[in-house]
Amino acid sequence: MLRIARELVDEIRAHARRDHPDEACGVIAGPIGSDRPVRFIPMLNAARSPTFYEFESTDLLKLYRDMDERDEEPVVIYHSHTATEAFPSRTDINLAAEPGAHYVLVSTREHGNDADPTEFRSYRIVDTEVTEEPVEIT
Amino acid sequence: MAIEVRIPTILRTHTGGEKTVQGSGDSLSALIDDLDARHSGIKGRLISDDGSLHRFVNVYVNDEDVRFTGSLETPLKDGDSVTVLPAVAGGSVARKR
């Protein structure tokens, strides 16, 4: 299960809405081993694409350096789908490289830039196995 | 010749859980061969079937992405620091890896 604060859910939704029609992406870091998402870090989608996202390489290095220095890890890795449901695609599954993270997906297919997306779902992706999990908003 | 290599979580199964390992080699390619000799299987996670660096693995030498410094031919020297990070990427449409 993912337990996450309302403000962080709203940050993700607002980011997805803002970047639509491109996919939005980012991380919520938290203390190592805590499973607690705390620090919201919106990332630039280097692909600037409605169908693909990738953290820019220099940003990626800086992100991991910063987390290391703060004894954090990526607790949530989020991105948006802009025309399809908030479910991991084959690409998402093949590229998922943080088995400890909650992969959050939102979909802007319904509201685009007009309103925050309502679909907000969370998954574990381990060795290409996807398991959806409940989300508890605190 | 000692080069410090930072290993991402997902590859630590090959290093007995170690975050940092030491290696040697005068190029990135040689370093990866050296690492694979002691941490079996790691080469296959970094290099694709065509022999090039995997598209969705980022390797940095002293904070410089090796894609801009010669990829696997990037020269290395004693004291260099190498960081391996899998890309954080995905998307709604399948792309060829």
Side-chain angles (χ1 to χ4, degrees), chain A residues 3-49:
Chain A
R3 286 174 60 93
I4 181 169
R6 164 73 58 192
E7 304 83 76
L8 295 170
V9 171
D10 290 345
E11 293 268 28
I12 290 174
R13 286 182 165 143
H15 184 199
R17 174 185 177 181
R18 197 163 63 236
D19 281 14
H20 183 88
D22 288 345
E23 291 195 8
C25 56
V27 161
I28 306 177
I32 289 173
S34 71
D35 203 30
R36 199 157 48 84
V38 177
R39 190 164 66 91
F40 177 71
I41 312 160
M43 300 292 290
L44 191 73
N45 177 3
R48 287 187 188 79
S49 158

Side-chain angles (χ1 to χ4, degrees), chain A:
Chain A
M1 182 176 70
L2 169 65
R3 286 174 60 93
I4 181 169
R6 164 73 58 192
E7 304 83 76
L8 295 170
V9 171
D10 290 345
E11 293 268 28
I12 290 174
R13 286 182 165 143
H15 184 199
R17 174 185 177 181
R18 197 163 63 236
D19 281 14
H20 183 88
D22 288 345
E23 291 195 8
C25 56
V27 161
I28 306 177
I32 289 173
S34 71
D35 203 30
R36 199 157 48 84
V38 177
R39 190 164 66 91
F40 177 71
I41 312 160
M43 300 292 290
L44 191 73
N45 177 3
R48 287 187 188 79
S49 158
T51 56
F52 194 71
Y53 81 95
E54 182 169 13
F55 292 5
E56 198 272 324
S57 137
T58 312
D59 294 349
L60 180 75
L61 180 65
K62 183 179 182 303
L63 170 72
Y64 275 82
R65 282 285 152 78
D66 287 352
M67 287 193 294
D68 258 5
E69 279 170 21
R70 297 164 183 251
D71 293 321
E72 290 173 341
E73 61 189 354
V75 178
V76 167
I77 297 174
Y78 72 86
H79 77 283
S80 61
H81 284 174
T82 60
T84 54
E85 70 171 323
F87 189 86
S89 67
R90 179 51 51 190
T91 311
D92 293 334
I93 296 164
N94 285 338
L95 296 182
E98 287 289 358
H102 302 268
Y103 281 89
V104 163
L105 273 111
V106 298
S107 176
T108 54
R109 64 179 166 167
E110 275 187 288
H111 304 303
N113 307 107
D114 298 332
D116 288 351
T118 43
E119 275 185 81
F120 184 103
R121 296 163 72 178
S122 182
Y123 307 86
R124 296 288 192 169
I125 309 177
V126 181
D127 290 338
T128 71
E129 283 287 315
V130 178
T131 314
E132 185 162 10
E133 59 183 1
V135 178
E136 186 185 308
I137 300 174
T138 60

